[in-house]
Short mmCIF file of all heavy atoms in Angstrom, two decimals:
data_model
loop_
_atom_site.label_atom_id
_atom_site.label_comp_id
_atom_site.label_asym_id
_atom_site.label_seq_id
_atom_site.Cartn_x
_atom_site.Cartn_y
_atom_site.Cartn_z
N ILE I 15 178.23 -44.44 84.84
CA ILE I 15 178.85 -43.66 85.97
C ILE I 15 178.63 -42.22 85.56
O ILE I 15 178.46 -41.83 84.49
CB ILE I 15 180.29 -43.90 86.19
CG1 ILE I 15 181.06 -43.63 84.87
CG2 ILE I 15 180.47 -45.37 86.64
CD1 ILE I 15 182.55 -43.68 85.13
N VAL I 16 178.70 -41.27 86.56
CA VAL I 16 178.48 -39.95 86.37
C VAL I 16 179.92 -39.25 86.87
O VAL I 16 180.22 -39.42 88.11
CB VAL I 16 177.43 -39.26 87.03
CG1 VAL I 16 177.37 -37.73 86.79
CG2 VAL I 16 176.15 -39.92 86.50
N VAL I 17 180.56 -38.47 86.08
CA VAL I 17 181.82 -37.85 86.36
C VAL I 17 181.50 -36.47 86.76
O VAL I 17 180.80 -35.69 85.99
CB VAL I 17 182.88 -37.92 85.26
CG1 VAL I 17 184.19 -37.37 85.60
CG2 VAL I 17 183.03 -39.33 84.70
N ASN I 18 181.92 -36.01 87.82
CA ASN I 18 181.69 -34.60 88.35
C ASN I 18 182.91 -33.60 88.01
O ASN I 18 182.57 -32.48 88.04
CB ASN I 18 181.41 -34.65 89.80
CG ASN I 18 179.98 -35.18 90.04
OD1 ASN I 18 179.22 -35.34 89.21
ND2 ASN I 18 179.71 -35.25 91.35
N SER I 19 183.98 -34.07 87.94
CA SER I 19 185.16 -33.16 87.55
C SER I 19 186.41 -34.06 87.16
O SER I 19 186.55 -35.16 87.68
CB SER I 19 185.58 -32.27 88.77
OG SER I 19 186.18 -33.04 89.73
N ILE I 20 187.17 -33.45 86.31
CA ILE I 20 188.32 -34.01 85.92
C ILE I 20 189.40 -32.95 85.85
O ILE I 20 189.65 -32.30 84.85
CB ILE I 20 188.27 -34.63 84.43
CG1 ILE I 20 186.95 -35.49 84.35
CG2 ILE I 20 189.52 -35.60 84.22
CD1 ILE I 20 186.80 -35.99 82.90
N PRO I 21 190.27 -32.76 86.83
CA PRO I 21 191.28 -31.78 86.80
C PRO I 21 192.36 -32.19 85.60
O PRO I 21 192.65 -33.28 85.49
CB PRO I 21 191.92 -31.93 88.21
CG PRO I 21 190.84 -32.25 89.11
CD PRO I 21 190.05 -33.15 88.29
N SER I 22 192.75 -31.11 85.06
CA SER I 22 193.72 -31.47 83.89
C SER I 22 195.06 -31.80 84.44
O SER I 22 195.75 -32.69 83.84
CB SER I 22 193.88 -30.19 82.95
OG SER I 22 192.60 -29.86 82.45
N PHE I 23 195.50 -31.29 85.52
CA PHE I 23 196.69 -31.68 86.22
C PHE I 23 196.66 -31.21 87.67
O PHE I 23 195.92 -30.26 88.05
CB PHE I 23 197.91 -31.08 85.67
CG PHE I 23 198.14 -29.59 85.66
CD1 PHE I 23 198.48 -29.01 86.98
CD2 PHE I 23 198.02 -28.71 84.59
CE1 PHE I 23 198.66 -27.66 87.12
CE2 PHE I 23 198.21 -27.36 84.75
CZ PHE I 23 198.55 -26.86 86.04
N THR I 24 197.40 -31.90 88.57
CA THR I 24 197.68 -31.52 89.99
C THR I 24 199.00 -31.71 90.16
O THR I 24 199.63 -32.63 89.78
CB THR I 24 196.74 -32.47 90.99
OG1 THR I 24 196.96 -33.80 90.67
CG2 THR I 24 195.39 -32.04 90.74
N VAL I 25 199.72 -30.73 90.79
CA VAL I 25 201.11 -30.76 91.06
C VAL I 25 201.33 -30.40 92.48
O VAL I 25 201.01 -29.38 93.01
CB VAL I 25 201.92 -29.69 90.15
CG1 VAL I 25 203.34 -29.74 90.44
CG2 VAL I 25 201.65 -29.99 88.62
N GLY I 26 201.91 -31.26 93.30
CA GLY I 26 202.30 -30.92 94.73
C GLY I 26 203.78 -30.68 94.88
O GLY I 26 204.55 -30.76 94.07
N GLY I 27 204.03 -30.32 96.19
CA GLY I 27 205.54 -30.07 96.46
C GLY I 27 206.15 -28.94 95.75
O GLY I 27 207.33 -28.95 95.43
N MET I 28 205.37 -27.83 95.49
CA MET I 28 205.96 -26.77 94.65
C MET I 28 206.88 -25.87 95.46
O MET I 28 207.84 -25.33 94.85
CB MET I 28 204.80 -25.86 94.10
CG MET I 28 203.84 -26.65 93.25
SD MET I 28 202.43 -25.50 92.86
CE MET I 28 203.15 -24.30 91.70
N GLY I 29 206.73 -25.82 96.78
CA GLY I 29 207.61 -25.00 97.55
C GLY I 29 208.93 -25.56 97.87
O GLY I 29 208.95 -26.65 98.57
N ARG I 30 210.02 -25.01 97.45
CA ARG I 30 211.38 -25.47 97.68
C ARG I 30 212.02 -24.82 98.87
O ARG I 30 213.23 -25.03 99.02
CB ARG I 30 212.22 -25.37 96.38
CG ARG I 30 211.80 -26.20 95.29
CD ARG I 30 212.60 -25.90 94.05
NE ARG I 30 213.96 -26.17 94.06
CZ ARG I 30 214.67 -27.29 93.90
NH1 ARG I 30 213.84 -28.37 93.55
NH2 ARG I 30 215.96 -27.40 93.99
N ALA I 31 211.23 -24.10 99.54
CA ALA I 31 211.79 -23.36 100.78
C ALA I 31 211.11 -23.76 101.98
O ALA I 31 209.99 -24.35 102.03
CB ALA I 31 211.62 -21.91 100.53
N ARG I 32 211.84 -23.73 103.04
CA ARG I 32 211.32 -24.23 104.41
C ARG I 32 210.04 -23.37 104.75
O ARG I 32 209.03 -23.98 105.23
CB ARG I 32 212.36 -23.97 105.52
CG ARG I 32 211.98 -24.45 106.87
CD ARG I 32 212.98 -24.18 107.92
NE ARG I 32 212.46 -24.56 109.17
CZ ARG I 32 212.33 -25.92 109.71
NH1 ARG I 32 212.62 -26.83 108.91
NH2 ARG I 32 211.87 -26.02 110.92
N GLU I 33 210.03 -22.07 104.55
CA GLU I 33 208.81 -21.31 104.76
C GLU I 33 208.24 -20.90 103.59
O GLU I 33 208.22 -19.71 103.04
CB GLU I 33 209.17 -20.09 105.70
CG GLU I 33 209.68 -20.54 107.07
CD GLU I 33 209.91 -19.23 107.98
OE1 GLU I 33 209.78 -18.09 107.47
OE2 GLU I 33 210.19 -19.45 109.16
N TRP I 34 207.57 -21.89 102.85
CA TRP I 34 206.99 -21.53 101.52
C TRP I 34 205.95 -20.44 101.53
O TRP I 34 205.80 -19.78 100.61
CB TRP I 34 206.37 -22.84 100.88
CG TRP I 34 205.46 -23.59 101.75
CD1 TRP I 34 205.74 -24.61 102.54
CD2 TRP I 34 204.07 -23.34 101.95
NE1 TRP I 34 204.63 -25.11 103.31
CE2 TRP I 34 203.53 -24.32 102.87
CE3 TRP I 34 203.16 -22.38 101.39
CZ2 TRP I 34 202.26 -24.28 103.24
CZ3 TRP I 34 201.93 -22.51 101.76
CH2 TRP I 34 201.34 -23.44 102.61
N TRP I 35 205.28 -20.32 102.63
CA TRP I 35 204.14 -19.30 102.74
C TRP I 35 204.75 -17.90 102.69
O TRP I 35 204.05 -17.00 102.31
CB TRP I 35 203.41 -19.53 103.99
CG TRP I 35 204.17 -19.60 105.26
CD1 TRP I 35 204.44 -18.64 106.04
CD2 TRP I 35 204.85 -20.78 105.82
NE1 TRP I 35 205.27 -18.98 107.08
CE2 TRP I 35 205.50 -20.39 106.97
CE3 TRP I 35 204.87 -22.17 105.45
CZ2 TRP I 35 206.18 -21.26 107.80
CZ3 TRP I 35 205.58 -23.06 106.28
CH2 TRP I 35 206.18 -22.65 107.41
N ASN I 36 206.03 -17.74 103.19
CA ASN I 36 206.60 -16.48 103.12
C ASN I 36 207.41 -16.16 101.91
O ASN I 36 207.68 -15.05 101.52
CB ASN I 36 207.55 -16.35 104.35
CG ASN I 36 206.70 -15.96 105.63
OD1 ASN I 36 205.72 -15.35 105.61
ND2 ASN I 36 207.36 -16.46 106.68
N ASP I 37 207.95 -17.26 101.26
CA ASP I 37 208.84 -17.13 100.30
C ASP I 37 208.43 -17.02 98.81
O ASP I 37 209.09 -16.79 97.89
CB ASP I 37 209.95 -18.32 100.26
CG ASP I 37 210.79 -18.27 101.47
OD1 ASP I 37 210.88 -17.17 102.10
OD2 ASP I 37 211.55 -19.26 101.81
N TYR I 38 207.12 -17.07 98.66
CA TYR I 38 206.43 -17.16 97.36
C TYR I 38 205.31 -16.11 97.21
O TYR I 38 204.68 -15.85 98.25
CB TYR I 38 205.95 -18.47 96.90
CG TYR I 38 206.93 -19.62 96.63
CD1 TYR I 38 207.48 -20.29 97.62
CD2 TYR I 38 207.43 -19.74 95.35
CE1 TYR I 38 208.45 -21.22 97.51
CE2 TYR I 38 208.53 -20.70 95.14
CZ TYR I 38 208.95 -21.45 96.22
OH TYR I 38 209.93 -22.39 96.04
N ARG I 39 205.05 -15.56 96.07
CA ARG I 39 204.00 -14.69 95.80
C ARG I 39 203.19 -15.29 94.60
O ARG I 39 203.76 -15.76 93.67
CB ARG I 39 204.50 -13.20 95.40
CG ARG I 39 205.20 -12.65 96.61
CD ARG I 39 204.29 -12.20 97.72
NE ARG I 39 205.05 -11.46 98.82
CZ ARG I 39 205.71 -12.03 99.79
NH1 ARG I 39 205.72 -13.28 99.88
NH2 ARG I 39 206.34 -11.21 100.64
N VAL I 40 201.97 -15.05 94.58
CA VAL I 40 200.99 -15.56 93.49
C VAL I 40 200.59 -14.33 92.73
O VAL I 40 200.22 -13.25 93.33
CB VAL I 40 199.83 -16.44 93.90
CG1 VAL I 40 198.93 -15.60 94.89
CG2 VAL I 40 199.07 -16.91 92.72
N SER I 41 200.52 -14.48 91.47
CA SER I 41 200.15 -13.37 90.53
C SER I 41 199.02 -13.82 89.66
O SER I 41 199.18 -14.95 89.10
CB SER I 41 201.30 -12.73 89.78
OG SER I 41 202.29 -12.30 90.60
N TYR I 42 198.11 -12.86 89.39
CA TYR I 42 197.05 -13.27 88.55
C TYR I 42 196.58 -11.99 87.74
O TYR I 42 196.82 -10.95 88.23
CB TYR I 42 195.84 -13.85 89.28
CG TYR I 42 195.28 -13.08 90.39
CD1 TYR I 42 194.23 -12.21 90.13
CD2 TYR I 42 195.85 -13.13 91.56
CE1 TYR I 42 193.81 -11.33 91.21
CE2 TYR I 42 195.42 -12.28 92.70
CZ TYR I 42 194.41 -11.41 92.39
OH TYR I 42 193.91 -10.63 93.42
N ALA I 43 195.73 -12.10 86.69
CA ALA I 43 195.49 -10.95 85.93
C ALA I 43 193.89 -10.73 85.92
O ALA I 43 193.17 -11.67 85.48
CB ALA I 43 195.89 -11.18 84.39
N ASN I 44 193.44 -9.56 86.44
CA ASN I 44 192.08 -9.19 86.26
C ASN I 44 191.99 -8.87 84.64
O ASN I 44 192.85 -8.39 84.05
CB ASN I 44 191.82 -7.93 86.93
CG ASN I 44 191.72 -8.20 88.37
OD1 ASN I 44 191.42 -9.26 88.91
ND2 ASN I 44 192.32 -7.21 89.25
N ASN I 45 190.75 -9.14 84.14
CA ASN I 45 190.52 -9.04 82.72
C ASN I 45 189.08 -8.71 82.47
O ASN I 45 188.27 -9.48 82.46
CB ASN I 45 190.86 -10.26 82.04
CG ASN I 45 191.11 -10.08 80.52
OD1 ASN I 45 192.22 -9.54 80.06
ND2 ASN I 45 190.01 -10.36 79.70
N THR I 46 188.77 -7.43 82.31
CA THR I 46 187.35 -7.11 82.11
C THR I 46 187.32 -6.08 80.89
O THR I 46 188.29 -5.70 80.45
CB THR I 46 186.72 -6.52 83.30
OG1 THR I 46 185.33 -6.48 83.16
CG2 THR I 46 187.29 -5.06 83.60
#
């Protein structure tokens, strides 16, 4: 068989608010 990807983890249902799209912000770091 040939494996194309193995995610280390997947987590669903992260939003605990009715309007999760408004109630959360994502942050990440540029690094150069």
Side-chain angles (χ1 to χ4, degrees):
I15 63 167
V16 176
V17 185
N18 284 355
S19 73
I20 316 174
S22 303
F23 69 73
T24 53
V25 180
M28 297 173 71
R30 291 174 62 88
R32 178 174 178 81
E33 294 187 354
W34 51 265
W35 54 90
N36 283 330
D37 291 348
Y38 292 87
R39 300 287 184 271
V40 61
S41 299
Y42 57 91
N44 295 323
N45 197 81
T46 191

